[in-house]
């Protein structure tokens, strides 16, 4: 299956991508803009380090509102949407900027 995972560099998204890639029939497209929401950038980079080396994983460093979906969506079987700002206070603050 072709599976899109938003928030792929996040805590849950990165682990989910690793798990999904154990199935050799899965191809994963990760989308993440490395949002400055309190998590240091090096942690997000560490989350996806091994994924980037995987032949069935592709990463798009884009904001969900700015990405060009046309070349990405065709052939997609599943979209798992995990991009978000965990934490009530931070998610209600001013618009967060990508790192
Ligand atoms: N971790 C938990 O215990 C928990 C519990 C309940 C719900 N959730 C929800 O699950 C989701 C993932 O949580 P997490 O702990 O992995 O958070 P996380 O902050 O580690 O990961 C979220 C990722 O989404 C990305 N992101 C946010 N907005 C984006 C946008 N507009 N475009 C592209 N990328 C964007 C961030 O850069 C980040 O890498 C969140 O929606 C969170 O609210 C988490």
């Amino acid at each position: 299956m072709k599976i899109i995972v938003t928030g792929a560099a996040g805590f849950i998204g990165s682990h989910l991508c690793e798990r999904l890639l154990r199935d050799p029939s899965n191809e994963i497209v990760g989308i993440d803009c490395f949002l400055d929401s309190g998590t240091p950038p090096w942690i997000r980079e560490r989350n996806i380090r091994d994924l980037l080396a995987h032949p069935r994983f592709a990463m798009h460093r884009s904001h969900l509102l700015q990405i060009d979906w046309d070349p990405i969506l065709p052939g997609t079987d599943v979209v798992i949407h995990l991009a978000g700002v965990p934490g009530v206070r931070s998610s209600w603050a001013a618009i967060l900027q990508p790192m």
Side-chain angles (χ1 to χ4, degrees):
M1 287 200 293
K2 177 178 175 180
I3 304 171
I4 293 177
V5 178
T6 73
F11 173 65
I12 297 174
S14 59
H15 285 95
L16 177 66
C17 289
E18 289 168 9
R19 179 64 183 85
L20 292 170
L21 285 167
R22 285 193 214 164
D23 183 334
S25 69
N26 286 339
E27 168 198 348
I28 310 300
V29 177
I31 301 173
D32 202 297
C33 67
F34 296 74
L35 204 66
D36 184 0
S37 58
T39 300
W42 67 267
I43 290 183
R44 299 201 197 285
E45 295 291 347
R46 184 188 64 185
N47 287 346
I48 61 163
R49 188 177 54 210
D50 292 344
L51 289 169
L52 292 176
H54 198 288
R56 285 182 282 106
F57 180 81
M59 185 74 201
H60 294 267
R61 295 175 182 248
S62 301
H63 194 286
L64 292 182
L65 299 180
Q66 297 165 344
I67 194 167
D68 179 6
W69 290 100
D70 288 347
I72 296 174
L73 279 178
T76 300
D77 300 293
V78 178
V79 177
I80 301 174
H81 179 50
L82 290 170
V85 179
V88 174
R89 289 185 183 86
S90 54
S91 66
W92 279 65
I95 295 174
L96 297 163
Q97 298 299 320
M99 291 177 180

